Amino acid sequence: AIAKEANIPRERIFAGVLPKQKVSKIRALQEKYKTKVAMVGDGVNDSPALVQADVGIAIGTGTDVAIEAADIVLIKDSLFDVPVAIHLSRVTVRRIRINFVWALLYNVLGIPIAGGVLKPWGFTFKPFVAAAAMMCSSLCVVISSLLLKLYKKPADVQSAEKRKKYRLRLCVDTTA
């Protein structure tokens, strides 16, 4: 039922599987597709598979063992948070790369200028100006990182959550 709501194809669903079978299935997927495999679980039985997976994702309301075995722990018990976590991690890594390139370029240009490379042409920095320029570089990286606070969930996840809430409201209204 949950997989159907999440639009997961039937051939990708492995339900009613023992812990050893889960680990075997993850190994088989890793070998077959030669790519990263994620596992979402919440119980003691899921822990070995969470460890075997390239990315183990535990539902926060699950057991302590599953939470310890996982790489990512979702605070809420909503499966809608799985694609959000993956998307947010990609956005974060992209931001790290942007900050790295920005800082690298700034330092590649700024350090030689502060060192006096342009002195033969009459252009020099006083030490306090060079220090202020370095502070601006750090400030730009911090501000760029703070832009992650403006992160919004992908639109398809937002619309799916709204549809689910609407369906839940309908169920509550008809039983009340």
Side-chain angles (χ1 to χ4, degrees):
I2 293 171
K4 190 174 184 179
E5 271 188 44
N7 291 327
I8 299 172
R10 195 146 179 63
E11 65 272 3
R12 290 192 173 185
I13 300 169
F14 309 106
V17 181
L18 296 172
K20 283 186 180 181
Q21 292 171 318
K22 291 176 186 180
V23 172
S24 301
K25 191 62 186 172
I26 288 175
R27 273 196 198 114
L29 289 169
Q30 287 169 327
E31 290 171 13
K32 180 179 179 182
Y33 293 107
K34 304 284 188 230
T35 187
K36 304 282 184 206
V37 174
M39 161 73 183
V40 180
D42 66 348
V44 174
N45 292 337
D46 297 324
S47 299
L50 289 170
V51 171
Q52 175 63 44
D54 297 298
V55 180
I57 303 172
I59 304 295
T61 57
T63 64
D64 290 341
V65 176
I67 290 171
E68 284 297 318
D71 301 305
I72 298 172
V73 178
L74 302 177
I75 302 302
K76 296 185 246 166
D77 62 347
S78 171
L79 286 178
F80 289 114
D81 289 337
V82 173
V84 172
I86 293 168
H87 185 258
L88 178 59
S89 67
R90 288 181 178 151
V91 168
T92 302
V93 168
R94 187 178 326 125
R95 180 60 54 189
I96 290 168
R97 288 182 180 140
I98 289 169
N99 287 344
F100 179 74
V101 169
W102 168 252
L104 183 70
L105 289 174
Y106 197 89
N107 287 318
V108 163
L109 295 174
I111 291 173
I113 292 171
V117 168
L118 300 177
K119 192 172 187 175
W121 295 279
F123 186 79
T124 58
F125 273 151
K126 297 205 182 294
F128 74 90
V129 175
M134 279 308 296
M135 182 198 66
C136 288
S137 168
S138 298
L139 191 63
C140 288
V141 168
V142 169
I143 290 171
S144 172
S145 297
L146 287 173
L147 289 174
L148 286 172
K149 291 184 79 80
L150 302 176
Y151 174 79
K152 298 241 186 301
K153 292 180 183 179
D156 56 337
V157 173
Q158 287 179 350
S159 64
E161 284 178 322
K162 286 179 186 174
R163 283 194 308 272
K164 183 179 179 191
K165 285 179 184 174
Y166 177 71
R167 259 188 258 135
L168 287 175
R169 268 191 240 123
L170 287 177
C171 291
V172 171
D173 289 345
T174 57
T175 58

